[in-house]
Amino acid sequence: TGGSYPQLDHKLTITSTGLTGTCGYLTVWANGSTMWGKSDAFRYVYQSVSGNFDAKLLIVTPPTETGQAFAKAGLEIRATTDRRSQHVMAMATNMSGLQFAYRPAYNNYTTQVVSYVAISYPVWVRIVRSGNTFTYYYSSNGTTWTNHGSRSVSMPTTVMI
C-alpha cells in the first residue's frame, strides 16, 4: 500500500559446498506488489545459469504476507530483470497452494499452467529446462516427483533463476 519498491534489484550467488542434500537455509524478507499480468514488481534473489538445468527448491514455510492470498515464494526463471520479461515460475502462495505459471513472451500476460495444487509444508518445487521447454514438478519428499505440465517459452541461453 503506497511507496515505491525497487525493481528486481537483489542478487545473491549461492554455491554448493560439495555436500549432497541441503546446503543451508536462506530466509528472504521482501515486499512488492505483484508477479502477474504484464508487469511485475517484487524482490528477486537470483543467480545466472546457462544452458539446460534441473532446479529444485525446498519451501519450508508458506509466504506470510497477512491478507495476501497470492503472496509467493518459490522458483522463478526470467530472461531479464525487466519487469515485463518472459518468465516461468513454480510458487507456493500464501493461501492458495502451489501455482505454476509463465509469461510466454516479453510484455505478454502471465498465465497459470493448470489449477492450483493443495499442499502441506514443507514442499519441494522443481523446474527442468530442456532448450525452451520448461517442465514443472512438485514433491513432498524431494525424491518422488509429480509432473505438473510443461510450457515452451523462448529464453536466452543464460537466464536468471
Side-chain angles (χ1 to χ4, degrees), residues 17-38:
T17 61
L19 302 173
T20 22
T22 303
C23 293
Y25 292 92
L26 173 67
T27 301
V28 178
W29 293 95
N31 60 14
S33 60
T34 190
M35 290 175 69
W36 204 254
K38 292 175 84 172

Side-chain angles (χ1 to χ4, degrees), residues 7-8 32-42 70-72 76 78 82-85 87-91 93 96 98-104 107-116 136:
Q7 302 292 311
L8 307 171
S33 60
T34 190
M35 290 175 69
W36 204 254
K38 292 175 84 172
S39 180
D40 305 321
F42 66 100
F70 298 105
K72 298 174 177 72
E76 182 187 33
R78 293 185 76 86
D82 187 293
R83 64 187 180 170
R84 296 167 302 238
S85 175
H87 66 121
V88 296
M89 61 184 182
M91 299 284 177
T93 63
S96 301
L98 290 180
Q99 177 188 75
F100 300 89
Y102 68 107
R103 181 177 294 133
N107 204 36
N108 278 149
Y109 285 97
T110 298
T111 304
Q112 189 165 310
V113 174
V114 290
S115 62
Y116 291 96
Y136 303 92

Side-chain angles (χ1 to χ4, degrees), residues 48-67:
S48 296
V49 177
S50 293
N52 296 329
F53 57 80
D54 184 350
K56 301 170 190 161
L57 177 70
L58 174 62
I59 303 169
V60 178
T61 59
T64 56
E65 181 67 26
T66 304

